[in-house]
Every structure is written in C-alpha cells, then in structure tokens.
Amino acid sequence: MLRRRLNRLFGGDERRVDSRTIYVAHRPCPDTEAFIPPKFCDNRIVSSKYTVWNFLPKNLFEQFRRIANFYFLIIFLVQVIVDTPTSPVTSGLPLFFVITVTAIKQGYEDWLRHKADNEVNKYLVTVLEDGRRIRTESEKIKVGDVVEVEEDETFPCDLILLKSSRDDDTCFVTTASLDGESNHKTHYTVPDTEKDLECLNATIECEQPQPDLYKFVGRMHIYRNSREPTVRSLGPENLLLKGATLKNTQKICGVALYTGMETKMALNYQGKSQKRSAVEKSINAFLLVYLCILVSKALVCTTLKYVWQNKPGQDEPWYNQKTQREKDTNLYLKMFTDFLSFMVLFNFIIPVSMYVTVEMQKFLGSFFITWDSDFFDPEIKEGALVNTSDLNEELGQVEYVFTDKTGTLTQNNMEFIECCIDGFQYKYRDANSELGGFCVTDGPVSKLQQKAGREREELFLRALCLCHTVQVKESPDPIQPLGDGQTDQVDGLGVDGAVHQLQELRGFIASSPDEVALVKGAMRYGFTFLGLESKTMKIQNRNNDVEMYDLLHVLNFDPVRRRMSVIVRSKSGDTLLFCKGADSSIFPRVRQDEIERIRQNVERNATEGYRTLCVAYKQLSEEEYARADAGLKEARLALQDREERLMAVYNQVETGMTLIGATAVEDRLQEEAAETMEALQGAGMKVWVLTGDKMETAKSTCYACRLFQRNTELLELTVRTLEDGGQKRKKRMHELLLEYHKKAVQDAPPIKAGVTRSWSTSNQDYGFIIDGATLSMVLNSAHDANSSLYKSLFLQICQNCTAVLCCRMAPLQKAQIVKMVKNSKGCPITLSIGDGANDVSMILEAHVGIGIKGKEGRQAVRNSDYALPKLKHLKKLLLAHGHLYYVRIAHLVQYFFYKNLCFILPQFLYQFFCGYSQQPLYDAAYLTMYNICFTSMPILAYSLLEQHICMEVLLEDSTLYRGIAKNAMLRWRPFLYWTLLGVFHGFLFFFGVKYLFGNPALQDNGQVFGNWLYGTIVFTVLVFTVTLKLALDTRHWTWINHFVIWGSLAFYVFFSFFWGGIIWPFLRQQRLYFVFANMLSSVSAWLVIILLILLSLLPDILIVVFRKPRGPHKRQKKLVESSVGGLQSPRSSARPLLMRTFSDESNTVI
C-alpha cells in the first residue's frame, strides 16, 4: 500500500490521465515503435487496516486520540514523574486494561479481514498464456491477462468479455455480491473479435477506475495484418465485474481490465462515513462537567492547603521538619505540583472503564438482534443483519422515518392487471378468447366499437414482446425449478390455456420484475416472446405464426429519461422504434391529440395504486435510421461525455412517436405494512415516503398504509398545482407555501408535549405532497433572494403534517430531504429505510440506515447500518429492541458517573481531616480494582439483559416509545438527579463512618481503628451500596444477573481476605495486612456497615415495597380496555422513568 501511494505521489506507477491503454495478452501492436508495458496495481485485495509491523503504533495512536484515554495517559505520566500520593499502578492498570481489551477486539476483527482477503487472493484461477491454460493464484493476475472463467465461478477481477461458449456470443451473470440483484443480466462479447484468442491483436482504451457499477466507457482497437485497425465501442454490457458470478454459460474468456483495489467492487467498499450516536455526545458533555468538578476539587484542596499552612506552626511542625531541598523549592512550582497531586488523587471521578463497558455492551447487545427468531424470514432463509453496533441505542430515539415505496412499502412482486389500447380498457378474463374480456371504454361514448382495431391490438402486443431486455431460458426438465433452483432468479411459466402451443416450460430472465410482468401479460393475450438468437428476436402471434425481427439497437432505460426503446427491422424491411416509459416521459414525445384518451386510463390506474407505463411506436424512414445509427455508433465510441452524447441521440430519435396504449401492473403491499406504519405514528414518529413513482400511485399506497386517513386534508405542492393559477411558477409557489403555512402552522393549535396531532380528534390532520421538480425549485433556488424563506416555510409545513409524500424523487433529492430535516432545529434523529441502489444515498445520510433484503438488490443492505428481511420487522426493531437498548445504555452511563462520584467524594472529604496532605483514603489495590472487578460485571449484565417492560407490552402499546424520546434519560435533569444521589451517598458513607469512629475503642481488646481501617469500612459500604442499588433497579432477573451481582460481592469479600491475609513479597509496605479481618471482628463495624447500606437504599426499598404490583397480564388487559374505550395516553410517567425506578412501567415484582 505504501509503495503504491509513493509511486502515485511521484508519478512512477501510473500517470493520472483521463484514460488508460491495455494491451490484450501483453502483445505489442504492429504500429507500436517501442513496446513498454504499462504498470498497474496487482490483483491483491486489501481490506485490512493493520499489518504485523504497524499494528502496535497505529492502534495506540488511534486509541489515544480519544480524550479520556489521553487524559488518563497524562495522569499516569504525572504519577510516574511527580511524587504523588498514589502509585502509578492505580491509573496505569485500568488504562492498560482498557487499551488491551480494545486492541484485542480491533486486532481480532482485523485478523478476520486478513483471513477473508487471503481466501480471495489465494483463489485459483485459469490464465491463458501462449495457448496454454495455467492455474495460478488470483492475486497474480495482471492487467492485460486473458482469464478463463467457468460456470458458477466468480470473476477474479474486472474483465472485458472476449469469447463465450454460447452460440449467440452472450453470457449470463448474477451480481448478488455487488448490488444483490439475483436476476440474470446479459453481457455481450466485443463484436468482430477473433474466435481464436491466440491470434487476437488488440488494445483497449478506457476510462480510469471509478466506483459507479453501472457506468463504463471504452473502445477496442483490433489489428489485422497491415489494414487500418477496427474500432469497437465498449460499455457496461461488455464489462464483467469482480465478485459477479457466471450463470447458464459453460465458460467465457475475458481480458483483465481493472485489478485489485482498482476494481469497481473494491472502490465501492471504501469511504463509508462514521456515524455517532446522541448518547456518545451526551457522554462527552457529562465528562466535561465531571472534569470541571475534578479541577474544582483540586483547586479547592490546593488553596485550602496553603491557607491552612500559613497558620503559625502548621507549615513546619516539630515532628515534620522540611529538608533544605524542600525549603529551596519555588513556591509556585510547589503549588502546581500539589495541584497535580490532587488531580491524580481525585482522577477516578472520570470513569475510564466506562468506554470499554459501553463498547462491550454495544458489541454483545447487537447479537440479540441477530438472534431474534421473529426477524427470520422463511422465504429467503435469512434473519436480521447488524452492520454496525455503534447505533443500537439510536433505534430508541427515532423521530423521523424516511421510507422508499417500491420494494419497501410494497412487495416489488409485479402482476399484470390490465392494459389500455387506443383508450379502450382490456382486463384479462378468459385466456381462450381472442383478447380477453372487454370491460369499459374511456373513449368517447359516440364510438360504436367496443375494442380497438385488431391491427392496433397486435401492434401494442408486439411492442410488449419486443421492447424489453428479457431473455428466455429453456429448461430440459420441466419438473426441476428454473434458475438453478432459485425462484427469484428466473420466473417460471407453466403451460396453461393461453400458451397451450408451448410444449415446454419456459423461464424469463430479466433484471426487472416489471419487464417479466409485461411479457407475461402479452402471453395471456396470445403473443409469446420466444427468445433472442444472434440479434434476431422471435415472437409467436395469435395465429401461432413465428415472426422474426432483427434487433438493431437498444436504447437502455435511464432513471433520468424514465423510458427505454428498441429499434427493430421486420422481415418485410420496415424499421420500427418501440418505446415504453413513464407517462411524464412519453406524453411530451407523442402527438398531443392522442394523449387525452390514454391519460384517463393512466390516472385511474394510478389512483387505484397500479404502476403504469405508456407504450408508443414510430416507423423510421431509411434516412432517419441511417442518421440515428451513425449518431449512436459515434456516441458509443466516444471516451469523453459518452452518456451526454448518447442522451442527445436518444432524444433526437424518440420524438414524433405515436401513442398506442398503456399498461397497469400491480405491486402489492408488504405484509403488515399498514400496521407497522400505524405503530410508528403511534410512537410519535413522523413518516415521510420518498419515491420515484408518480403521485397518484404513491398517494394510493399512502392511503392503503394508513399514513393518510380519509379525514386527512392533503396540501399539494406539485407542478400541476403551480400551473393551475396561470401565474409564474415561482410566484405561485410562494403563494401556496404561505397559504399552507397559515393553515398547517399558524392556525393550528399547539401540540401538547409527547402527543402528536394524529392522535388528537379535535385537530385537523394534514398530509403534504410534493414532487421532484417543485422540490428542486424549493431547495436549489440559490440565486433567489427568497430561497431561505422557501426552505423555512417548506420545512415548518412538513414538520406540522402527520405524513409527507415526496414523489418523482431522484436519489440525490432523497438524500437532500433527509439532510434538511437532520440539520433542522433540534437536530431530530432520522431513520431511512429502503431496498434498492437508489436508496443508498438517503440510507447513508440518515442517522440510522435500514436496508430491506428485497428484490431490487442488496446494495442498500450493504450500505445500511441494519438489514431486515421485511418492513414489518421495523416495528419490533424500534419499539422493542430500540426502546430497551436506549434505556439500558442510558442507565449504564448515569450509573457509571454515580458510582464514581460515590467512590471519590469521601476521598475529597477526607482531605479536610488530614491537613490536605494528599493522604489516600483507600488502598492502592481498591483504587485499581474498583472499576475493573468489583463493580463492572453487574452493570454490564444489566445493560445487556434488563427489560423494565416486557417486549410484548412495548409492541402492544407503541405510545410507550414517546416516554424516552428526545434523549429523555440523558438530559440534564436526570443527570443532576444521579449526581445529587452520588453526593448524598458519598456524604453518608464518610460521615456515617466518622460518627462510628467517635467511639475511641471499637474492638474487644480496646484497640482503636487506624486510617486504613476507616477507608476499608467506607469502601465496603460503597461497594455493597452501589451493587445493591443496581439490584433494586433490576426488573428482569435472570441467572446471569444473580451470578454477577452476588458473585461480585462475594469476590470483593474473598479478595479483601486474601489480599490482607498474606504477606506479599513484592510490596514494600502492606497497608491492609489483616485490616479486613479485624474490621469484621468488630460488632460496631458490622452495625455501621448494615445501617449505612440500609439508609442509603431506603428510598429505593420503600418504592419497591409500596409499589403496586402491575404484572404483564394486568397491563395487557388494561391495553385492551383502552383500545376499546378509545386511545389512552401512556401511563408511563416521565418522572419515574427518568429517575430509573420505572414504578409505573414495571411488569416484574422483585
């Protein structure tokens, strides 16, 4: 890696130009004067972060960039350099423990990455060299090598397809590991290449590596003898990507184009931004407060020390005379040294071990999502996936949910419903009839005919059979499932009455379920697509005659154009262009007098929730085709701006078309989609639907999902509403924004805290609809003086609506919407959920990104933080898991600060009684072990297993989610409560034991207790109190909780006996020798320990004793009653939740 970077820096490896030249099989070309093979990177994949040599320095550097770790390192160095009251071990050992545990975790994760890299790099592949087939390791492939790949093997690098075993010079590929699409994609060999690759003499000129999986431009120069070289264009259809798998093709040969870390797969895995949770930000804020408390304590003690020493006889008593060196020391230097010593003495108020506990809690807690059997989907035989464990608690804080429609709210399982030809509606009823049953006509009533003319019907069905990129797969055994047994790869078609002429089972291979649905629809009406052979498309018409068309050009679908076309030539010599696409894309390109009769059908189908496509055709003259052909060939050979040039030719040829009809395809709702959306809204979340579909279809889906209710007033800001007023669009938009703002914001009554307007019966619900074109005007009017006003009005309107629908959205606009809400006032927590590659931008932009393992591929899953099989699983993920994760980690953070304040406050108070001499109250062993051993395991177990409310109740009553919204448990009020509780307990421990020491003789033999016994009694009360406090807070007991809580207390007692009962040879002084045993021999000490523990925990004990038991059955019964009697506001009061008693939410009685 270092060598590559240096080479690039000094220009030795590869000059950063716009293109690169590759010599196929490393053969010099005839016109090359001096053949100097260019240097490219090798084919090694490196996803690991460390090597054996740089692990230690690099890992330590990264860990000490953390403020807490660096702070403790400074404290440790101060203890080593300055004469401090405590041993450097007290700070060094906890710091070493934290650094070591983190390093082991990160080292293990990196070792797994190394292991995965080696599996890929050592994979054996076949390379063709001088006619020989050589087996070599994948990492040894060089750019220009000719590689042979067999069926079901993955491509070891990015290849240009030169040769295929199929007769039609194509191959089929699945890209599931790249974008997850399990459908087969068709790739083509470069035309005019030699069949015998040994004789091939060619160079490839192409663009430099870039991460877009779907874009590639290049050209191939093929040299034959002394003739002028033949130039052929290269595009994505010729490029086989590393990680993709060869299917239904025996073998292919390709030339290595991009290798190693320059492959598109490797480039796509880089640069994922790091997300930080709100809890981590709260921890940093609390740390600053405790750091200020620490500095204040040190300053107070330093100041009081010198005030006290200024009194006569106090600075140099007769029994402690100063040495000459002490007398010569500078006063200010001595004051600074004393200040540092007090900082060291009190530094345990900053909980360094909290970071490692939080990391372990997040890492181990994420397994509960993976292990949840409710998330397992039997269809795909997969469960939930956690890509990052850093955001578990963020799942309990979501305020805005941004969801895709197709494949997320809907199943992306397309079924052909009906079609419209020349304004006449056709619904499939009887397959044996000529063209299905006629239903209604949307044309003029005066028309006497009930159907379109037969010629128009056949033209429409030919368009459906020809305008696509579907491939037909023949299966030799009808019983066996198609597509290697994977039903999601190939849609099998059975033999039925409509296709009784087919004697064999056919399967359609397509990259989009829409295309398969349309080809199936044409089959119902008697037109069957038989397949593509050597650029010839065959279809069988209703008369069982086979029609053949030469495929001349495919004008591929583009999300910007929103249409695709094919140019074909019939056997009679007619050149035809067939085009299908969205109505907004087709209508401006056809004759305007044809639109109205089709538009009514399209709008009605969209209102019913169907996906619609319009179909048009154009007969090209010889001159028009020649011009289009020349333009397409020239554009495809261009290396620069190829897409823009192709788009210009596409737009030129796709004009003046004739509209034939439209299709309606149904995409059904996901299972429990409506219930899930209703539960999220009940939890106080605002749901926004961001989709590329047309408004009517998306609106219908929103009604079906109950995002819009029948009484919801819809505020529409679309191109249609902007043009209604007959004014300029900008002016009309401004007027509508002001009108909607007055209605939804100014005139609306204020929302009560914790209650969304959707649950109030007295207030009007509003839904907002905007399209992509209008959104561009709102967001991108930078030159307009009112641009910030537009954004502000738009955002306020949206925030006051129960649901927002954004239709006709481009992927980048989805991310813009999420970013705008994320950066709005209050910085609300956002969640994006989607299933396709077009959702990746908004998934990465949101605080939490969820990928659905759907049919549009796994690119969304790969870029997400969490992946779920179905949308319905989002309900449990947020309302149950998210709720519990947040409560657990919030209590963990507050508890850590509390127990460390209890720990160090008696040490601070002790200074007032020891002349500010920096005398430690506790032994060094106790200082070191307190956070590592005595109190760490109970809180870790609690933070993993606690269920203050059982999951069933959380799912039943979604309003409970509101009780923890807006980081409720980590605000300043609960933080102040825990801090005051720590101060109260600290004072009680110290002065309670001091009161005990008022009696001079506490042992039977009349001996008095010393200062180490004093500290040991305080420490014993401390350990038992903070551990039992956690036990009282625990609502969900398991054997693990019992084991760690009682085990930690037993370990403390055992350790104290063991540490003080043996003379350790490595200790210069043993302060606790038999101190613990002596303490337990005193009845008075026993009495004080028990009394102080009881006094400290008395408030918590009283709450537990007098709390009304509320079991889960009673709770659920109450929920049922409330659902019958009307919606009830949650009984989960905020105060007990914030104070961590959960008296109203508890379903388990201790």
Side-chain angles (χ1 to χ4, degrees):
M1 287 295 287
L2 180 62
R3 176 173 57 83
R4 276 207 297 273
R5 286 176 182 172
L6 287 174
N7 281 335
R8 287 180 182 177
L9 182 64
F10 297 110
D13 192 27
E14 170 188 325
R15 288 174 298 170
R16 292 283 108 185
V17 291
D18 292 334
S19 63
R20 57 163 58 181
T21 302
I22 292 132
Y23 296 87
V24 177
H26 310 289
R27 297 189 189 102
C29 298
D31 60 348
T32 309
E33 293 179 3
F35 173 64
I36 304 172
K39 292 182 180 179
F40 302 106
C41 75
D42 55 33
N43 198 37
R44 281 182 303 143
I45 288 293
V46 181
S47 63
S48 55
K49 195 174 181 181
Y50 307 107
T51 64
V52 175
W53 311 110
N54 72 8
F55 174 73
L56 202 60
K58 194 172 181 180
N59 185 265
L60 288 176
F61 172 73
E62 287 175 350
Q63 290 208 56
F64 284 117
R65 287 168 67 184
R66 263 191 155 161
I67 294 174
N69 289 348
F70 185 71
Y71 162 76
F72 270 88
L73 178 66
I74 296 297
I75 291 292
F76 172 71
L77 293 175
V78 167
Q79 285 180 292
V80 171
I81 298 167
V82 179
D83 182 21
T84 55
T86 56
S87 166
V89 176
T90 56
S91 291
L93 196 60
L95 180 64
F96 176 76
F97 173 75
V98 170
I99 296 294
T100 305
V101 168
T102 308
I104 290 171
K105 174 178 170 283
Q106 293 178 351
Y108 174 70
E109 289 173 351
D110 203 63
W111 176 76
L112 292 177
R113 287 192 285 266
H114 272 284
K115 193 177 174 184
D117 289 346
N118 279 331
E119 285 180 11
V120 174
N121 294 332
K122 302 297 180 186
Y123 179 75
L124 290 178
V125 296
T126 303
V127 176
L128 303 183
E129 275 186 23
D130 302 324
R132 293 175 298 142
R133 299 172 74 253
I134 298 171
R135 296 289 282 175
T136 184
E137 293 173 348
S138 172
E139 65 182 0
K140 294 180 181 176
I141 294 175
K142 300 185 291 293
V143 172
D145 283 350
V146 177
V147 181
E148 182 182 281
V149 180
E150 296 185 350
E151 187 172 5
D152 293 326
E153 288 185 346
T154 57
F155 302 118
C157 57
D158 290 350
L159 303 168
I160 290 293
L161 180 59
L162 299 178
K163 182 180 176 182
S164 171
S165 61
R166 291 178 62 90
D167 296 334
D168 57 359
D169 290 332
T170 63
C171 74
F172 296 116
V173 166
T174 58
T175 55
S177 61
L178 294 170
D179 58 9
E181 293 186 11
S182 53
N183 297 309
H184 290 57
K185 294 183 176 67
T186 309
H187 288 258
Y188 303 89
T189 58
V190 182
D192 300 329
T193 52
E194 305 284 351
K195 293 296 181 186
D196 185 4
L197 295 181
E198 289 181 55
C199 304
L200 179 63
N201 210 333
T203 60
I204 294 173
E205 194 178 353
C206 63
E207 64 186 358
Q208 291 291 357
Q210 52 102 352
D212 194 323
L213 295 175
Y214 309 105
K215 289 183 182 176
F216 171 71
V217 291
R219 58 184 171 219
M220 190 177 205
H221 300 262
I222 304 169
Y223 299 89
R224 289 188 178 90
N225 301 324
S226 57
R227 286 185 293 171
E228 192 71 23
T230 307
V231 182
R232 289 288 174 262
S233 67
L234 303 176
E237 68 278 3
N238 308 116
L239 183 65
L240 305 172
L241 300 177
K242 177 183 175 67
T245 306
L246 185 66
K247 291 287 184 184
N248 304 322
T249 310
Q250 287 182 2
K251 94 171 60 160
I252 63 100
C253 293
V255 58
L257 191 72
Y258 303 127
T259 53
M261 299 307 290
E262 292 183 339
T263 58
K264 288 182 179 287
M265 184 182 79
L267 293 173
N268 267 277
Y269 278 118
Q270 296 170 3
K272 193 174 177 184
S273 61
Q274 187 70 30
K275 296 180 180 179
R276 290 178 62 209
S277 70
V279 168
E280 195 173 334
K281 295 170 187 173
S282 296
I283 290 174
N284 290 339
F286 297 161
L287 265 179
L288 286 175
V289 172
Y290 271 69
L291 197 60
C292 292
I293 293 173
L294 170 63
V295 172
S296 303
K297 284 182 177 180
L299 280 173
V300 166
C301 287
T302 306
T303 306
L304 291 177
K305 176 178 180 175
Y306 283 91
V307 168
W308 182 72
Q309 285 183 354
N310 277 336
K311 294 178 181 177
Q314 300 291 355
D315 186 26
E316 195 175 0
W318 61 268
Y319 55 84
N320 191 13
Q321 296 289 322
K322 288 184 179 180
T323 62
Q324 189 59 42
R325 185 181 175 185
E326 287 176 330
K327 290 177 181 177
D328 295 340
T329 305
N330 184 281
L331 177 64
Y332 294 106
L333 180 62
K334 196 166 187 320
M335 290 176 71
F336 180 69
T337 308
D338 283 331
F339 173 75
L340 290 179
S341 297
F342 281 118
M343 287 282 288
V344 167
L345 190 64
F346 303 142
N347 81 85
F348 289 95
I349 197 171
I350 307 294
V352 66
S353 59
M354 179 178 66
Y355 280 98
V356 75
T357 309
V358 166
E359 277 197 19
M360 289 171 68
Q361 190 267 351
K362 289 181 176 183
F363 175 70
L364 296 173
S366 63
F367 286 107
F368 289 107
I369 295 176
T370 311
W371 293 335
D372 195 327
S373 58
D374 290 343
F375 291 155
F376 182 79
D377 184 41
E379 285 182 32
I380 61 173
K381 293 183 170 51
E382 289 184 43
L385 177 69
V386 179
N387 292 326
T388 175
S389 59
D390 292 338
L391 302 170
N392 293 342
E393 65 278 3
E394 212 80 325
L395 295 170
Q397 293 295 294
V398 175
E399 296 173 60
Y400 285 85
V401 175
F402 299 92
T403 175
D404 177 41
K405 185 185 80 70
T406 306
T408 305
L409 291 175
T410 60
Q411 294 178 6
N412 201 14
N413 187 12
M414 308 299 176
E415 183 184 348
F416 186 89
I417 299 297
E418 63 178 68
C419 62
C420 160
I421 305 172
D422 268 357
F424 297 94
Q425 179 188 3
Y426 293 83
K427 276 199 174 179
Y428 176 71
R429 287 179 174 179
D430 181 10
N432 294 318
S433 67
E434 275 195 348
L435 199 61
F438 168 76
C439 295
V440 294
T441 175
D442 286 328
V445 181
S446 60
K447 283 194 177 180
L448 298 176
Q449 66 194 78
Q450 289 191 328
K451 292 183 181 178
R454 183 182 179 90
E455 187 181 335
R456 297 289 281 184
E457 292 173 356
E458 293 189 350
L459 183 65
F460 177 80
L461 294 172
R462 282 191 188 95
L464 293 188
C465 281
L466 295 171
C467 188
H468 55 72
T469 56
V470 173
Q471 297 283 333
V472 173
K473 175 179 169 60
E474 309 289 348
S475 177
D477 185 359
I479 299 172
Q480 295 297 321
L482 297 171
D484 299 325
Q486 297 183 23
T487 56
D488 61 342
Q489 291 187 354
V490 178
D491 283 305
L493 301 175
V495 180
D496 59 13
V499 287
H500 63 276
Q501 65 270 32
L502 293 177
Q503 299 302 318
E504 58 189 351
L505 192 69
R506 292 187 181 277
F508 289 140
I509 302 169
S511 57
S512 166
D514 292 72
E515 295 206 314
V516 173
L518 295 177
V519 174
K520 279 183 179 181
M523 286 183 70
R524 289 178 175 178
Y525 298 121
F527 271 72
T528 305
F529 176 59
L530 299 178
L532 173 69
E533 292 180 13
S534 302
K535 295 286 184 180
T536 300
M537 300 182 82
K538 297 179 181 179
I539 62 174
Q540 184 171 294
N541 61 24
R542 285 183 291 189
N543 301 323
N544 292 341
D545 298 329
V546 176
E547 300 178 6
M548 301 177 72
Y549 295 85
D550 294 329
L551 179 61
L552 303 175
H553 288 287
V554 176
L555 282 54
N556 290 319
F557 176 82
D558 185 288
V560 178
R561 288 167 59 235
R562 298 182 65 80
R563 62 185 181 276
M564 68 94 54
S565 302
V566 293
I567 301 176
V568 296
R569 179 171 288 147
S570 66
K571 290 305 173 187
S572 61
D574 293 331
T575 304
L576 301 168
L577 178 141
F578 291 106
C579 180
K580 72 177 183 212
D583 57 323
S584 60
S585 176
I586 298 289
F587 284 168
R589 302 185 166 274
V590 299
R591 293 201 291 269
Q592 297 304 302
D593 57 326
E594 302 168 337
I595 292 176
E596 204 50 47
R597 40 187 192 181
I598 304 290
R599 189 198 297 273
Q600 295 176 24
N601 263 289
V602 170
E603 290 181 352
R604 178 179 51 78
N605 288 333
T607 306
E608 292 169 358
Y610 300 140
R611 292 165 65 88
T612 58
L613 284 176
C614 293
V615 181
Y617 91 104
K618 178 183 181 182
Q619 187 158 350
L620 300 174
S621 65
E622 287 298 323
E623 294 79 14
E624 284 178 312
Y625 173 68
R627 193 162 53 246
D629 183 54
L632 288 169
K633 286 180 178 176
E634 182 185 349
R636 282 172 179 153
L637 286 175
L639 283 182
Q640 302 294 326
D641 304 323
R642 178 184 291 187
E643 291 184 10
E644 289 77 5
R645 294 186 188 189
L646 282 172
M647 194 76 70
V649 180
Y650 291 168
N651 291 334
Q652 185 181 354
V653 74
E654 292 172 332
T655 53
M657 297 184 291
T658 301
L659 190 62
I660 318 172
T663 61
V665 175
E666 183 180 20
D667 189 5
R668 299 175 186 232
L669 277 184
Q670 282 271 15
E671 187 183 349
E672 297 180 28
E675 291 81 359
T676 303
M677 291 298 107
E678 203 167 37
L680 297 185
Q681 284 193 321
M685 299 177 218
K686 301 286 183 69
V687 181
W688 292 31
V689 179
L690 313 180
T691 178
D693 258 4
K694 59 181 67 64
M695 186 186 78
E696 291 77 11
T697 309
K699 193 198 298 185
S700 174
T701 304
C702 288
Y703 275 115
C705 290
R706 302 176 198 162
L707 293 173
F708 293 159
Q709 304 291 337
R710 290 300 161 195
N711 62 340
T712 303
E713 184 179 340
L714 298 181
L715 310 176
E716 188 180 323
L717 190 67
T718 60
V719 172
R720 187 174 66 186
T721 56
L722 295 185
E723 291 174 349
D724 283 349
Q727 305 171 358
K728 285 187 177 180
R729 282 188 175 183
K730 279 277 176 71
K731 187 177 179 183
R732 176 67 178 155
M733 182 179 74
H734 191 203
E735 287 178 0
L736 282 174
L737 282 171
L738 289 173
E739 179 189 331
Y740 294 159
H741 186 268
K742 185 176 187 303
K743 188 180 290 186
V745 182
Q746 294 175 9
D747 294 347
I751 306 170
K752 293 180 181 178
V755 180
T756 58
R757 191 173 289 124
S758 59
W759 293 97
S760 173
T761 54
S762 58
N763 299 326
Q764 173 65 53
D765 285 349
Y766 292 103
F768 192 74
I769 301 175
I770 190 170
D771 61 8
T774 314
L775 183 71
S776 296
M777 294 171 64
V778 173
L779 297 182
N780 302 329
S781 50
H783 58 278
D784 197 319
N786 295 320
S787 61
S788 59
L789 175 64
Y790 293 157
K791 287 182 191 176
S792 175
L793 290 173
F794 168 68
L795 190 58
Q796 288 178 45
I797 295 166
C798 290
Q799 288 174 334
N800 277 269
C801 292
T802 54
V804 176
L805 168 61
C806 304
C807 48
R808 299 293 196 191
M809 289 278 115
L812 191 60
Q813 287 181 314
K814 293 183 177 183
Q816 284 180 316
I817 286 276
V818 176
K819 187 175 182 180
M820 181 184 69
V821 174
K822 189 172 80 168
N823 296 333
S824 64
K825 185 180 179 182
C827 299
I829 304 299
T830 57
L831 178 145
S832 291
I833 181 167
D835 71 319
N838 61 333
D839 302 316
V840 169
S841 55
M842 74 169 182
I843 284 173
L844 292 175
E845 184 63 50
H847 291 97
V848 182
I850 310 279
I852 297 290
K853 299 178 180 181
K855 295 185 179 180
E856 286 190 27
R858 295 293 173 91
Q859 200 164 342
V861 170
R862 198 177 71 236
N863 287 278
S864 65
D865 303 306
Y866 302 89
L868 299 172
K870 293 278 178 66
L871 174 76
K872 65 177 182 179
H873 299 137
L874 183 65
K875 178 181 175 182
K876 186 174 185 182
L877 184 70
L878 297 184
L879 302 190
H881 286 287
H883 187 118
L884 293 175
Y885 278 133
Y886 175 75
V887 168
R888 290 165 182 166
I889 202 165
H891 191 267
L892 183 151
V893 171
Q894 301 279 31
Y895 178 80
F896 250 99
F897 283 111
Y898 151 77
K899 74 183 181 70
N900 277 39
L901 185 59
C902 291
F903 177 45
I904 220 66
L905 186 61
Q907 176 74 73
F908 171 69
L909 296 172
Y910 187 58
Q911 297 307 304
F912 290 86
F913 299 90
C914 68
Y916 312 100
S917 60
Q918 299 147 14
Q919 169 67 33
L921 178 62
Y922 313 117
D923 182 68
Y926 286 159
L927 287 171
T928 307
M929 303 282 280
Y930 177 71
N931 278 317
I932 296 178
C933 299
F934 299 150
T935 59
S936 59
M937 292 307 293
I939 186 59
L940 179 62
Y942 175 94
S943 65
L944 290 171
L945 303 169
E946 172 64 357
Q947 290 184 36
H948 65 290
I949 308 174
C950 69
M951 283 197 172
E952 291 77 12
V953 175
L954 288 171
L955 290 173
E956 283 277 350
D957 188 359
S958 58
T959 55
L960 291 172
Y961 191 88
R962 298 183 199 169
I964 59 167
K966 298 185 183 296
N967 206 14
M969 291 180 63
L970 286 174
R971 288 187 190 164
W972 291 109
R973 186 179 173 188
F975 173 72
L976 184 63
Y977 162 76
W978 281 99
T979 303
L980 292 176
L981 185 66
V983 170
F984 166 66
H985 284 175
F987 271 92
L988 192 63
F989 300 158
F990 183 82
F991 288 107
V993 177
K994 184 178 180 297
Y995 180 75
L996 166 70
F997 272 62
N999 182 357
L1002 292 172
Q1003 288 182 282
D1004 296 338
N1005 58 8
Q1007 290 183 351
V1008 294
F1009 282 173
N1011 65 318
W1012 293 115
L1013 224 158
Y1014 186 98
T1016 303
I1017 296 175
V1018 172
F1019 192 79
T1020 303
V1021 175
L1022 164 73
V1023 170
F1024 273 80
T1025 301
V1026 297
T1027 306
L1028 293 175
K1029 161 71 178 161
L1030 189 65
L1032 288 171
D1033 281 345
T1034 303
R1035 299 285 175 267
H1036 182 72
W1037 283 89
T1038 66
W1039 69 267
I1040 299 175
N1041 295 90
H1042 282 289
F1043 178 77
V1044 296
I1045 286 177
W1046 314 124
S1048 293
L1049 295 176
F1051 175 73
Y1052 165 68
V1053 175
F1054 170 78
F1055 175 83
S1056 298
F1057 272 117
F1058 187 68
W1059 181 249
I1062 298 174
I1063 297 176
W1064 300 98
F1066 56 83
L1067 292 177
R1068 280 183 294 177
Q1069 66 256 10
Q1070 196 154 345
R1071 298 159 175 169
L1072 288 191
Y1073 185 64
F1074 262 83
V1075 167
F1076 194 76
N1078 279 338
M1079 179 192 78
L1080 294 184
S1081 67
S1082 169
V1083 177
S1084 304
W1086 275 92
L1087 182 64
V1088 164
I1089 290 170
I1090 294 169
L1091 275 176
L1092 288 179
I1093 293 172
L1094 287 173
L1095 278 173
S1096 301
L1097 299 176
L1098 187 61
D1100 295 276
I1101 294 169
L1102 290 175
I1103 288 171
V1104 170
V1105 170
F1106 292 108
R1107 182 180 59 227
K1108 292 180 181 178
R1110 196 189 306 277
H1113 299 296
K1114 290 187 178 183
R1115 178 79 189 206
Q1116 287 170 11
K1117 185 179 177 183
K1118 198 155 199 169
L1119 286 173
V1120 172
E1121 289 172 358
S1122 69
S1123 64
V1124 173
L1127 284 163
Q1128 177 187 357
S1129 63
R1131 280 280 321 251
S1132 57
S1133 67
R1135 191 171 178 279
L1137 183 63
L1138 299 181
M1139 302 311 180
R1140 269 313 277 124
T1141 61
F1142 301 111
S1143 56
D1144 286 342
E1145 277 93 62
S1146 175
N1147 57 72
T1148 308
V1149 183
I1150 300 172

